[in-house]
Amino acid sequence: MELRQLRYAVAVADHLNFREASRALHVAQPSLSVQIKQLEEEIGVALFIRSKRHVEITRPGKVFLKTAREALAMLDRSVSSARRAERGEVGTLRLGFVATALFNILPRLLEELKTQLPMVTVELRESPSSTQMQLLQSGDLDLGLGYLEELPKQISSAIVLSEPFILVLHEKHRAAKKRVALFEDLKDDLLLIPRKDLFPTLYQAIIDLLLAAGMTDMRTQEIEHPLTALALASANAGFAFVPASAQDLSARGVVFRPLKADVPPLETVALWSNASPDPLVARVLDILRRLGSEKK
């Protein structure tokens, strides 16, 4: 049994006329008749009663054609789904992200995906860049948002967002009254710094900044999440360096100030495996690049 035979049988049933069915199918009428006869012989029942004036569907034919229509409709849906998948329009995206991505790029990406790719399901996993790269290599993650670290050969990256570091301070901090903070304003305070094992890139960038400013004796407290820095700053328990996009959050009791120093930008990168190209990953990467350029 061939798919074309099912389509031929359905066409005959729709038109109840072999000549009209052959025209609709763009096949010769004798060929259509032969295919229908072969189909009937294969399934062992007559589908149609033929006469010179009309065609009638038999009782077994009605049962068979109902299932045939369902099978053809399912096949059409399967083909349509496969084509959408090839265009990166359907599927499940397993997306890893570092905590600072929550401030800007991740919410914007999720909003874009809802609008542009509504048939894509997103599974989120918050984890450090190093963990994301391991998951990408093992095939347990499709795409990551992290920091540019030493990359294995199997992993590719692209910068999707570059933004300055700024300070988050309690609203009554002495530097809160200034438009630009100085290191002198901070020397007696507790610096809330990301944990080195979880955020090596962020940690080292801040340490390098302190060393360059000669602030080697500053008191520090390691934290596990950037949102903790906002909460502790709000409680006047210390200050922290955060991405500029953290200002978009409604954080009570804090102010954000630039620092008068040569502060390197924080670069968020997309991470993906180059082992096998994925249309959905490629589609999302295009969205990320556009979002990054719009932010700049």
Side-chain angles (χ1 to χ4, degrees):
M1 185 183 303
E2 300 178 8
L3 286 174
R4 64 172 178 170
Q5 292 176 324
L6 296 182
R7 296 192 187 280
Y8 288 179
V10 169
V12 173
D14 287 342
H15 293 86
L16 293 179
N17 185 293
F18 274 76
R19 179 177 297 177
E20 293 182 8
S22 65
R23 288 175 179 171
L25 293 167
H26 303 289
V27 298
Q29 183 178 338
S31 176
L32 174 61
S33 299
V34 169
Q35 292 297 324
I36 296 297
K37 184 176 180 180
Q38 289 178 350
L39 177 60
E40 291 175 322
E41 290 176 351
E42 183 173 348
I43 62 179
V45 299
L47 301 176
F48 304 101
I49 299 174
R50 306 156 175 84
S51 71
K52 292 183 178 180
R53 295 186 177 181
H54 74 284
V55 175
E56 183 179 343
I57 306 172
T58 65
R59 185 180 297 275
K62 292 178 180 179
V63 174
F64 177 83
L65 287 163
K66 179 179 182 297
T67 306
R69 292 182 191 277
E70 293 172 352
L72 290 173
M74 184 177 295
L75 176 62
D76 290 341
R77 289 195 296 271
S78 298
V79 171
S80 178
S81 296
R83 289 173 177 169
R84 286 197 297 268
E86 178 65 23
R87 296 191 297 267
E89 297 176 354
V90 297
T92 298
L93 179 72
R94 298 166 300 173
L95 178 63
F97 64 96
V98 290
T100 53
L102 289 167
F103 295 146
N104 178 276
I105 194 68
L106 181 60
R108 295 170 66 212
L109 173 62
L110 295 178
E111 189 65 30
E112 286 289 321
L113 291 178
K114 284 183 180 180
T115 303
Q116 296 190 34
L117 301 173
M119 300 183 69
V120 170
T121 300
V122 182
E123 295 180 358
L124 296 171
R125 180 164 182 171
E126 182 180 350
S127 55
S129 300
S130 57
T131 302
Q132 291 184 43
M133 286 186 280
Q134 293 174 3
L135 295 172
L136 288 167
Q137 288 179 285
S138 65
D140 294 320
L141 202 66
D142 300 310
L143 186 65
L145 292 171
Y147 309 122
L148 189 58
E149 300 176 5
E150 185 175 351
L151 297 177
K153 293 181 180 179
Q154 301 90 338
I155 303 299
S156 296
S157 68
I159 297 174
V160 295
L161 182 63
S162 181
E163 55 182 331
F165 269 124
I166 58 174
L167 294 172
V168 57
L169 309 156
H170 188 268
E171 61 185 359
K172 294 183 179 180
H173 191 281
R174 54 186 171 277
K177 298 179 180 180
K178 299 181 177 181
R179 298 180 63 181
V180 178
L182 304 174
F183 266 117
E184 294 179 2
D185 301 320
L186 311 169
K187 61 182 180 180
D188 298 325
D189 297 316
L190 179 67
L191 170 60
L192 307 167
I193 188 170
R195 270 177 50 178
K196 183 177 181 179
D197 58 330
L198 296 180
F199 305 96
T201 301
L202 283 179
Y203 178 90
Q204 193 58 51
I206 294 172
I207 291 298
D208 291 344
L209 183 61
L210 296 178
L211 291 174
M215 307 291 289
T216 56
D217 58 347
M218 178 166 283
R219 295 184 299 123
T220 62
Q221 172 67 53
E222 292 191 2
I223 56 175
E224 296 187 3
H225 202 286
L227 292 177
T228 304
L230 297 182
L232 292 177
S234 177
N236 202 15
F239 74 95
F241 290 93
V242 294
S245 54
Q247 297 177 93
D248 297 335
L249 299 180
S250 299
R252 293 183 178 181
V254 299
V255 295
F256 298 91
R257 295 290 183 269
L259 179 67
K260 189 175 182 180
D262 186 14
V263 183
L266 173 64
E267 294 181 334
T268 303
V269 301
L271 301 165
W272 69 95
S273 171
N274 50 34
S276 58
D278 185 321
L280 177 54
V281 170
R283 189 78 177 265
V284 177
L285 282 172
D286 288 341
I287 295 175
L288 280 169
R289 292 187 180 99
R290 178 174 57 78
L291 291 176
S293 63
E294 289 176 355
K295 183 65 177 179
K296 294 173 185 177

